Amino acid sequence: MNKIFILIALATLSVLSACKKYLDVVPDNIATINDAFSSRVQTEKSLFTCYSYLPTDGDPQSNPAMLAGDEMWLYPDIRISQIINPTGWFVALGEQGISSPLLNFWDGENSGKPLYRGIRDCNTFIERIDGVRDMNSYEKGKWKGEAMFLNAYYHFYLLRMYGPIPIVDKNLPIAATPEQVRVSRRPVDECVNYIVKTLDDAALLLPEKVDLPIEEQGRITKTIALAIKARVLLMAASPLFNGNPDFANLKNKDGEQLFNQAFDPKKWERALAATKEAITMAEGNGAKLFEFVSNATTGNLSAETTRLLSIQGAVTERWNVETIWGLTNSNMNTLQSAAMARVRNNSSLLSCLAPTNRMAELFYTKNGVPITQDKTWNYANKNNLRTGTVAEKYYIKQAYQTAELNFDREPRFYADMAFDGGMWYGIGKYADGGDIWYVQGKLGQAAGRVDIRNFSSTGYWPKKLVSYLCTQTEGTEFTTQRYAWPAMRLGDLYLMYAEAANEVNGPTADTYKYLDLIRTRAGLQGVVASWSNFSTDPSKPTSKEGLRSIIRQERMIELAFEGSRFWDLRRWKEAPNVYNGVIKGWDINQRDAVNYYREKVLANQSFGLKDYFWPIKDNNILVNGNLVQNLGW
Amino acid sequence: MRKRNLPITRVFLCLLTSVFVLTWPSLMNASSAQANTFRYEKNYSIGFNAEQILKVFSKIENLTGLQFSYSPADLEGIKPITLVEKRRNVFELLKKLSALTGLKFSLSRGLIAVLPNDAPPIVYKKVQEPIKPVKIDTLIQGQVTDSLKKGLPGVSIYVKGKTNIGTSTDLNGRYSIKVPKNSILIFTMVGYKAVERNTNQSVIDVMLREDDSNLDEVQVVAFGTQKKESVVGAITTIKPSELKVPSSNLTTALQGRIAGMVAYQRSGEPGQDNADFFIRGAATFGYKKDPLILIDGLELTATDLARLQPNDIASFSVLKDATSAAVYGARGANGVILVTTKRGSEGKAEINFQYDHSMSEPTKNLALADPITYMRLNNEAITTRDPLGTQMYSQNKIDGTVEGKDRFMYPATDWMDMLLKRRTFNSKANLSIKGGGKVATYYVTGTLNQDNGILKVDKRNNFNSNIDLKSTSIRSNVDINITNSTQMAVRLYGNFDDYTGPINGGSAVYNQIMNSNPVLFAPYYTPDEANTFTNHILFGNALGNPSDPASLKINPYADMVKGYKDYSRSLMLAQIEIKQDLSGLLLNGLRARLMASTNRRSYFDVSRAYNPFFYTLPDAGVVNNIYALQELNPTTGTETLNYQEGPKQVSTEAYMEFALNYDKDFGGKHNISGMMVGILRNSLNANAGSLQSSLPFRNIGFSGRFSYGYDSRYQAEFNFGYNGSERFYLDKRFGFFPSAGVAWNVSNEPFWKNFRKVVSNLKFRATYGLIGNDAIGSATDRFFYLSEIALNDGNKGATFGLNFDRNRPGYTVNRFENTEITWEKSRRINLGMDARIKDFNVIVDYSRDHRTNILMDRAFIPTTMGLSAAVRANVGAMKSEAFEASVDYNKSFSNSAWFSLRANFTYATNRYEIYEEPDYPEAYRSLVGSPTSQQRGYIAERLFVDAQDINNSPIQTFGPYMAGDIKYRDINGDGRISAADQVALGYPTNPEIVYGFGFSAGYKSFDLSAFFSGLGRTSFWIDNGNTNPFVNGQRALLKVYADNHWSEDNRNLYALWPRLSTTVIANNNQRSTWFMRNGALMRLKQVELGYTMSNKAANKLFMKRVRMYVTGSNLLTFSKFSLWEPELGGNAFNYPLQRVFNLGINATF
């Protein structure tokens, strides 16, 4: 018995001595935030973390500018059979709300990215990069510049979407008091100045071109920083942000006015200077408008097809000379699958992005003027049927009936849009002028509606977004050609320049210069010549107002489906004039041309003051008493 | 394949029987040998210091194994005894004791009869008594009275050791009996304490005292036991027999049985039917609200409790207040359930066998709409929302189905009828053996449960995929007396579940049936011409999307017969306990105890199935009456079985506990007891999933209890727990949780003497204390003081490079470090009263729990902070209150009849006291002041009349809506229905009232009992989303929806179901009063009729006792809600609760 007692005593003693350390179960090397900056390898991952918040603008499911406007439409039964996430389209249908905003880039919900988290991670990166030991100062500076650019870009993205926003230039500590964290929105000008200053600071640290394209292509350069700066300043000079009385009532709780109320022409000058600087930098590094050159796959191409591929290639040609900032984070598979028409029976293609008839009418006639103002083009007959002949053989299938609207249009129309009877170069067939694909979109035909999904609800497809190297088989397979989504290309900068130059100097040779460069690539005559020869309003390009409207239409055509029109209409304050109307498409549920080519109303859109800006999720207003909601929400 | 099921039942029973047969004779020999060879010559050492005579007796009883027989009256006035003797035999000891007390002792056949001073002298003999032939020569007469000197009728009187000599008292309590000389008479009656008397007088008058269980009964408390009269806390104990229900799940018995426990059951699926239970409601809004469950001192899960056999339970107690649970420190804040299992007892082996066979069926069968209505309303659901929508079913199809044409061309399948049996049969066997001798005692038990599914077995198939769940458990509790003062207990327990059944379990089959279209296709087709030689079943199906072969619908028949799953779950537990009495060694009254235990859990499953080939009859063929099948998945179907391994889980746990107990009486009136305990716990999980979760889970604790009692009248107690948890930062790691309580036994006061006739027992109790809870945040939040960061998060990466091939992941901060986070604290007060009034026992308790330091997200952190994880702090607080009462009544009648009643009632409510939330402009949005499980939602006014009505009403922001959809009230009057219009709705979802009442009665060999239980003050919501018909073109249509919905023709603004739709309409799927229902219900939980065979008959069958019984459970339900079983809550398509009829037999050998 004594033995047992001793045993118990021993056990007790050993237990007691072990107690102290018993609860120390955590080994020393558990990862903390310090480990994210412990070495160059880890720090690179942290930089990529900053990049990971970049909105995937090449994805129609998350880029508001693709489906939340009037450029492209979806099929009505998408709520039942959702093959792509239609969040943006619900905005277009007027279903935006404050309790759970769609495409919420503030909180990162409903297909939006959490940009304020991105800003915090960028700030953390900027704070900590100097402490990394195994990196040289050039690379530290370069990476810091990238993080600074991203910080600025995320602020810009929010500013464009939400209007004036709280600026987070420094991270608040986790233990910050309620007073500290209740930040308020800053006036537009302050936001713009902060973004521009940060971009300028970043530009000083960034290289003009990436050092090692094989690994770094797609990362931020000085050229990109300057181009985005130009875009920011152009936006700030535009009517929405430059002396806008409509938003006079948007004030902070303390009465601080968030929108400047006086128009300031200097803002246009600043934008013009920034655009000029960006163009100079880009061209100095080899950027020019993309022109397609025949290759081994295509063989010798006709001038017409080459022209179409030049226009398309500015977007879809991987790392083409025109690309200034190509986004490498978008899954280009969804976009191209959704944009491609079925040229044969393929059940896997999403094939659901449908440009509206309004977009079809936007493009110029073959004479380079609007279809409503061309002396030679009868707008009233646009829905009449006409049969394709050999003259249009590169654009429209010979002996195929389609609407007048699809005839005698500028090359950009044929490059950007696919339609019933339209030719589609590529997609596996490359014998130009020979047996190439054409689209047949009526009910029962390959591209027509076969189910409640996978079809174009208007009879048009945004061909521009599809690389000619994509393929599809009879059955279920298809391939897409990945390209970097052009978040900024030289053509955009040219048009920005024309816009700013017209505002500053009016119609001058300098103003026409970049505009005409764009038109030349599109196979059109210069703006003055085109108007004077074919327009019912021949003197239009000679007045500042006339030229302004021409530049705006040119911009909407050139950048169609690239996510520009949505924001441009807002900053020009043109959105109410355009969006308050009906969305129309062809009657795609018909089997014959006569019935198919009747315009059918798909929806009635409306746009009010509140729609200029996104609603801030109501919970944010509740949590932060200093935050004011946007007007109308 | 058919032979795959080994007849485990038989094997198990054979094994058990053979063990039993092999060991029985030897055990019997061992025990009887010990009884016969009592060694009078053996020497003992004793030491008493001012010890009460009863203590002395019990000590000697423990030492020698002899038993004292005495009349308490004879012991009155005996002074405390001080006596130290070494190495004396029992006769010498008794002589000494006799000299000290003046009592006389008579030793006979293991019994020491205690006689008063004036009895004739006794000569002790050193030789073993010869067993003499018995002569009946003495007539004894007398009267038996109760404590009020009233004659007691019906008292049984018999000679000890000779049950064949006996009688009973008449109406006046008088008796006469002839007995052998020097025998002992035993007087017994239900409800009274038995008395033994020596037959050395010819007139023996006896007074029987009521069996006041409160006085002497021992109460199981934390880490030990206490005399019931010295308990100050709120502890409810129920008899294990009350937990006997005809179910393999013990937790289903808890509802309404225990005052202070809130329990309800939400599913009836075997294996998934655990009831949810809380002690005094849920007192926190943290993640852990359920009580600590300790089985033989080990922390185990609710499932382990569910698998416990009531037959094997020795005691079942619930610790509810601060003093009783404080010693569990960090783990006791939500109450404690203490269960101990039975132990062996000295004597020859006693075998108990119980067999139950039960039939179970749903308490209520769901009524579905007929196929024709289904098709018509499905078409209506499409066109009523979109007039241009394509109708799902052609008129031809509907007409054909109405006419009852070919069942393959016009299928109309009643899936429920096709796949499910109306009822199923389950059985359960339990065998236990207990016994032992001086050296060791044992309790060995085994149980086999066989639960069968309700699936029909299909003859077309080549294997049986019905559910077959066998749950086996084996327990062995062995107590070994190593020395006179050292005991060791070894407990081994294994619990094993073996399952074969449908791949996703019975509930999934049930769910699939409810999500299947009755008319879209036939369950299977007979071969057409092209398939004459096809070797597989031609299952029916349809494509949701004609161009997508993966869009097949659910064919529950195919899913059921395509394969089966095996799973195996086990728990192995080993426990060793050593008890050392240190009385002789260190300090009298001091005992030490060391317990160590470990367990292993494991689980794995394997599925085997083929991919069914699906076929359909194309519409075109049907129209033209051509029977030609179309293959839907020619490439993905298989004829041979595929094999898939499921998750494999292994975990282990080790536990150690060391305790010192001290208990001593001083000077007759003072009692001091103390207890100190230290615990260590360590568990590891092999399937942790993350680094931080993979680290061992540990607890360390040191607790103590000190109590002082004076004269059985006043009792004071102090408890503390000092606990460590690895979850907190160094300086917050240990917490000290003290508590104190007092009790006053009023009925033991001299002044109460006159009231004792009516109120024989009255006691007031009060306790107050602090308890901690470290189970805060979530179970995966292991170390609040460390940040948690994922350094290779693929979602945070980026891709660059000319060919998009430079890809790196990024980091995500999942938790920010916070060294301030600490224990959740519960300050708890309990006021209680125990009373015995006439034949009624009443216990009443009121308690209040003030929970503070509840961990919650800081509400003021805005999104602009850019944090990827919530910032949290111990800021929440809530208050809960509970009132509970229980009453029981026991009465025996002279004509061998007895009757007992019992009832209990619990009202437990809680409310948020501090809850960080945004500054709502509308005061009613704040949760503060509301019960935690009270739901928030909209007030539904009615259904919209028409478009005009919609235009004139506030805008509703949940998505499209139209006439016939629900119209909500704009509470804040801002012209729009949004989150700001949500108000508190109805009662909490956790019931605030739980009650139960029942009676038991017996007459001669029969006994009958019935028990009702009920829930009150609770609401639930019909689950709009999950019962919405036609969803995905296949969900079933409830008949009640078919009969009562809004339609264009019948614009009933208050219809049960709004305008039909084939998708879930977000506007209607908001939580609102429209679908709110009162969850109050009362059910006839159990009725049991038993028959106990007479001893004679039983003996003929070589049994001691045999009882047969029939039991019915969940027989009747009373509720305002009649659409389906109300306890299921909102989702009618859940596996239904079961009504069970059971036939059982319990035999003791």
Side-chain angles (χ1 to χ4, degrees), chain B residues 143-157:
Chain B
Q143 192 193 18
V144 183
T145 57
D146 63 15
S147 54
L148 303 170
K149 302 282 177 197
K150 252 177 74 184
L152 269 180
V155 177
S156 309
I157 303 160

Side-chain angles (χ1 to χ4, degrees), chain B residues 43 48 179 208 216 226 228 248 365 438 464 521 546 675 752 833 902 915 944 955 996 1060 1091 1100 1124:
Chain B
N43 287 333
F48 300 109
V179 297
L208 291 184
D216 273 15
Q226 270 184 343
K228 205 156 191 178
S248 54
N365 279 312
K438 278 275 165 287
N464 173 359
F521 45 82
M675 186 272 301
W752 198 259
M833 184 194 80
R902 59 183 185 281
Y915 189 83
F944 280 112
I955 299 160
L1060 293 174
Y1091 170 75
K1100 271 184 195 158
W1124 54 80

Side-chain angles (χ1 to χ4, degrees), chain B residues 841-858:
Chain B
N841 272 316
V842 179
I843 304 173
V844 179
D845 274 288
Y846 165 78
S847 74
R848 204 169 68 201
D849 182 334
H850 189 211
R851 197 68 70 100
T852 53
N853 270 11
I854 301 174
L855 187 71
M856 60 180 300
D857 292 353
R858 299 315 302 258

Side-chain angles (χ1 to χ4, degrees), chain B residues 736-990:
Chain B
F736 181 71
F737 305 106
S739 68
V742 290
W744 178 30
N745 282 309
V746 182
S747 50
N748 286 354
E749 293 284 355
F751 67 75
W752 198 259
K753 226 166 205 169
N754 298 331
F755 304 107
R756 240 172 251 166
K757 290 175 202 167
V758 183
V759 180
S760 53
N761 178 39
L762 180 65
K763 178 177 164 187
F764 293 103
R765 298 174 272 111
T767 66
Y768 180 75
L770 184 68
I771 316 185
N773 180 13
D774 74 334
I776 58 175
S778 72
T780 51
D781 275 322
R782 290 295 308 282
F783 309 105
F784 293 105
Y785 58 94
L786 291 176
S787 65
E788 187 162 19
I789 176 166
L791 283 177
N792 290 303
D793 185 345
N795 294 326
K796 287 299 193 63
T799 300
F800 297 104
L802 281 179
N803 297 312
F804 310 105
D805 51 11
R806 174 78 172 177
N807 189 297
R808 290 288 178 275
Y811 71 82
T812 301
V813 178
N814 292 315
R815 182 179 61 231
F816 294 103
E817 65 175 57
N818 189 335
T819 56
E820 296 299 315
I821 289 176
T822 184
W823 310 82
E824 180 179 302
K825 284 177 185 154
S826 156
R827 270 187 198 77
R828 207 179 281 182
I829 190 165
N830 190 88
L831 303 173
M833 184 194 80
D834 303 341
R836 182 174 171 82
I837 307 163
K838 293 273 190 182
D839 293 322
F840 290 92
N841 272 316
V842 179
I843 304 173
V844 179
D845 274 288
Y846 165 78
S847 74
R848 204 169 68 201
D849 182 334
H850 189 211
R851 197 68 70 100
T852 53
N853 270 11
I854 301 174
L855 187 71
M856 60 180 300
D857 292 353
R858 299 315 302 258
F860 63 79
I861 304 283
T863 305
T864 47
M865 274 282 272
L867 301 183
S868 52
V871 176
R872 294 183 291 186
N874 297 99
V875 288
M878 63 182 282
K879 201 166 249 185
S880 25
E881 284 179 290
F883 171 80
E884 64 224 30
S886 63
V887 180
D888 60 60
Y889 169 85
N890 293 299
K891 185 83 179 171
S892 297
F893 304 98
S894 55
N895 49 0
S896 59
W898 54 271
F899 181 73
S900 76
L901 268 177
R902 59 183 185 281
N904 73 75
F905 173 87
T906 306
Y907 172 70
T909 179
N910 64 28
R911 60 180 189 271
Y912 288 104
E913 202 153 66
I914 301 175
Y915 189 83
E916 271 208 6
E917 53 199 351
D919 293 331
Y920 295 117
E922 305 89 359
Y924 56 80
R925 292 182 71 184
S926 171
L927 291 177
V928 173
S930 321
T932 48
S933 70
Q934 188 178 35
Q935 303 295 303
R936 306 230 148 210
Y938 303 96
I939 293 179
E941 296 187 332
R942 54 175 165 77
L943 302 178
F944 280 112
V945 182
D946 50 22
Q948 179 73 27
D949 187 24
I950 291 174
N951 286 335
N952 294 338
S953 302
I955 299 160
Q956 310 197 159
T957 56
F958 317 109
Y961 58 102
M962 54 204 293
D965 286 332
I966 303 173
K967 173 175 161 63
Y968 300 113
R969 183 174 299 163
D970 184 12
I971 304 286
N972 64 356
D974 64 352
R976 44 186 292 124
I977 309 295
S978 64
D981 296 304
Q982 294 188 354
V983 295
L985 300 181
Y987 295 119
T989 51
N990 294 339

